[in-house]
Structure formats: C-alpha cells, structure tokens
Amino acid sequence: MKLRRTKHEGWYEITSACIVCGQRGWCRINKEQTIVHCMRVVSDDFFDSTIGRQYRHYLDPQAAPKTKIEIEVNRAVDKKPDYHLNRVYRALTKELPLSTQHAQHLRNDRNMQDEAIRLREYRTMPGPERYKVAKQVISRVGEQSDLLGVPGFFCVEGSYGPYWTMGGSQGLMIPFRSIKNEITGWQIRVDKPLLELHMEGAIKGEILEEVNPDENGNRRAKCKLFIQDKIMEVILTEKDKKECYSKSGQFVFRIVLRPGNRYWWWSSGDKLNGSSIGGPLPIHLALPYPCLKLWSVGETPDTMISCEEVWVTEGPIKADKAADALVKPVFGIPGVGAFSLLLEPLKQLGCKHVVFAYDADVVSTPEVEMALEQCVEFFAKNTDMTLSLAMWDISQGKGIDDLTDAGFLPQIARILD
C-alpha cells in the first residue's frame, strides 16, 4: 500500500487502491491503519472538509492491512488563490490546442455545437516535451515563480538545473470555472486509462505489464497472481471475468481486468514544487454557452441569467451540456458526496431553489441514495433553500445529458421546502 503524508498529523493519503472503495486518490488512512476516510463509499459516520464529505470506515484491528507500506515524500506546496490560478490557466489556454480527435469526440459523441466547444475552452494535454508549453506559459505570466502552487505544474532537476514542466496523462482537458468565471482547475478525460485488477475472495495480484491486444482489440496484461500458497503468471484480457469455486460450490475468488478511472484531476501534489488540486476542490459553474461571451472574469453571472434556480449534476461536461439544454446555471460537482462545497457559492449567487440532477440510477443505488439523504439534511440545517430532485426513467438515458440529447426533460420532485 502506497501512502503520502498529509498536513494532518498521523494521517496519510492512500495513493494506491483504497482498502474501502478500491479506487486511487483522495482517501486517507490513520497511522494505526484502523480508520479510513473514504471519499466514495458512503457511511453514517462522516465529516465535511475542503475536498467534500469524507466517510469514516473502521477497520478490524485484527484484520488490518498486512501489505508492505511505502510512504512517499511530500514535496508539494500550498495551492495559490483562485485569481492566481486563473491568470496562469488562462495563459495555458493560449498555448494548448484542442486536437481534432477530441473535437470530434465532443462534436460526435457528446453532440456539442462547434461554437459551444470553442467558448468552453476545452484543450488537449499533449504528450512529450511539455516543458516547452510551461516555458511559454512563464513568458506570458512573467516569472517562473508564478507556476509555484499551481496544480499540474511542477519542477524537475535537469542536467543544466531545475526547469518547469507539466504532469498528467494525455487526454481531453476540461476546465472548472468558479462563480466569478475564474478557471480554478482542470480534469483530464484520459485517452487510455491504466488497467487495474479487481479482485474478490482468496486472491491477490498485480499487473506486471500491458501486452499486445487480442484479435478483437481488447487490451491484455501479464499479471502475477497469488492464490493461497501458489504464485503464477498469466495473461488476462480486459473484462474477461475469471471465477473459481470449490468442489462443494463455495465461492473462492473472482478476478477481472478493467480500465481504471477515465477522469482524473490535473494535479501535481506528488511532485517537486507541485501542488494538489484540493483545499478546496474546485466545483464547476456551467452557463448556457452564449453567456460565456458576456461573462467577465471576476463577476458573478446573476446580472445576465437568473440564479434563483440552480441545477446540480456530477461532472463538468455533463454540467456544460445540461446548461445548454435547460438554459439554466448548472453546477458540476466532483462526486455526489461533494455537495457541502456548494453551500457558499449558492448563497453568493442568491439561489433559492436547487435541483439535483444525478444519474437516473440514484433511487436504485443505496450509497448514492444515502448521500442524497445526507445532502437534504445538510441543506436543511444550513440554509432555507428549497431542494428538488430531477427524475426520469433510465430507459430514456442514464445522465441528464443523455436525457436531453434524446429530447426529454425530467420530472421535478420537491424533497425539501
């Protein structure tokens, strides 16, 4: 298990797979390895932080992780204020293009208009020689020190001294805008997500390397598996589930090779002079794209569009598309448990009615349903805003963007007056 020290004494960020949710990033574990603060698996025991709601999960001390612990050296610096991030990120947009591949994805797969794509300032994270981009950004903003504390940028020790470059995987870059039209962060829709092993039961394993795909184009990887007292190396194929049962029919183990997370924050918290995207996490305010021509940096949008009713969904592209279809301001949050980050921005916008438009499976996913219940409780305690839930049949589309693409609108159910 790989850990990184945090600012909180005795707590570590889990940079490998979380023991509770199985995903990487944001979850934390205490020094004694008895408590996990998970960002994704909901529990009744929680607290709100600058990165959203964190759920406490208590581990059995007798069954504490027995894997080798690797603690990374944290060489990051604190994140700069929003106005500084915006100045650097706006300079970055002038240096990065949007690739033809990513433009076609937005146009054909996301059904977005060319003008919307242009105004929303999506970009493409390039491959090698990113230091050249960082150098051009520095020439625009003035000083090398201006990149210090800006997530995504970090310093490298080179043969001729230190120089600035950029982290992150290749992919589509999606900007997060504050309520003052400041670009305060980016997510990357990774072109080729890393493969991961998903395991249940009496099995452990690790990926050694990705190998050539099969004749159908499915990705494959050479893996080392530990089954009881046996060690074996096998080639696993993407999404090809392997299961084992005893002669009596009892479940022994299950393993499947899957692509990992598609969306990642553009961050550099594990790099020299880099910075984490958290503290607080960005949330994204999407407006109908014609408004972007009129929205000045530093100003809230309530002078050009009514913010008395604001919608909320999960993810920035989904929010962008919903804003265009509904002609409403829409917040895109980084997860259903991040609703506490909305409170102050909603108050500043003068919002009176919040409509949550989570995916259609919200009522059939216990963890999401619990998060929604906690959301209602949180807003009831901290504000007098009215809350509603947008609902539709999943056959019409999973997300609000799928629904509106199909020509439908959701039903609105009041959940808090």
Side-chain angles (χ1 to χ4, degrees), residues 192-206:
K192 189 176 181 180
L194 293 174
L195 292 172
E196 296 179 351
L197 286 175
H198 292 251
M199 296 168 284
E200 300 175 54
I203 187 172
K204 294 185 181 297
E206 61 182 5

Side-chain angles (χ1 to χ4, degrees), residues 295-339:
W295 192 12
S296 299
V297 174
E299 295 183 1
T300 55
D302 44 302
T303 57
M304 71 178 78
I305 187 171
S306 173
C307 294
E308 289 194 358
E309 180 179 290
V310 177
W311 287 54
V312 178
T313 190
E314 191 177 1
I317 290 186
K318 198 174 291 185
D320 287 344
K321 291 198 60 185
D324 290 342
L326 301 168
V327 195
K328 297 280 187 181
V330 181
F331 271 115
I333 57 176
V336 294
F339 52 79

Side-chain angles (χ1 to χ4, degrees), residues 151-294:
F153 293 95
F154 65 97
C155 201
V156 174
E157 292 289 347
S159 302
Y160 301 98
Y163 64 93
W164 286 93
T165 187
M166 307 188 305
S169 300
Q170 287 183 250
L172 172 65
M173 297 185 69
I174 310 157
F176 273 61
R177 299 175 189 272
S178 73
I179 63 171
K180 295 182 178 180
N181 196 19
E182 297 165 318
I183 298 178
T184 58
W186 301 78
Q187 279 190 350
I188 299 179
R189 183 183 185 276
V190 178
D191 290 337
K192 189 176 181 180
L194 293 174
L195 292 172
E196 296 179 351
L197 286 175
H198 292 251
M199 296 168 284
E200 300 175 54
I203 187 172
K204 294 185 181 297
E206 61 182 5
I207 296 175
L208 299 177
E209 61 177 340
E210 185 167 354
V211 298
N212 292 331
D214 66 13
E215 61 276 7
N216 297 317
N218 296 310
R219 297 169 69 185
R220 302 188 305 159
K222 180 189 290 186
C223 305
K224 180 184 287 187
L225 304 182
F226 304 87
I227 305 171
Q228 296 178 347
D229 58 346
K230 296 180 180 179
I231 301 175
M232 62 181 70
E233 290 189 5
V234 298
I235 302 291
L236 295 180
T237 303
E238 177 184 8
K239 298 180 182 178
D240 184 13
K241 185 187 299 182
K242 304 293 185 184
E243 294 182 320
C244 178
Y245 294 85
S246 68
K247 292 181 179 179
S248 61
Q250 288 186 318
F251 170 76
V252 179
F253 70 80
R254 180 180 297 114
I255 185 169
V256 61
L257 181 71
R258 295 178 185 162
N261 289 344
R262 170 72 78 172
Y263 291 89
W264 288 93
W265 287 110
W266 190 41
S267 185
S268 50
D270 59 340
K271 308 292 186 181
L272 175 64
N273 287 331
S275 182
S276 172
I277 193 68
L281 276 180
I283 56 174
H284 172 58
L285 179 60
L287 301 184
Y289 76 83
C291 293
L292 296 178
K293 301 175 184 178
L294 309 172

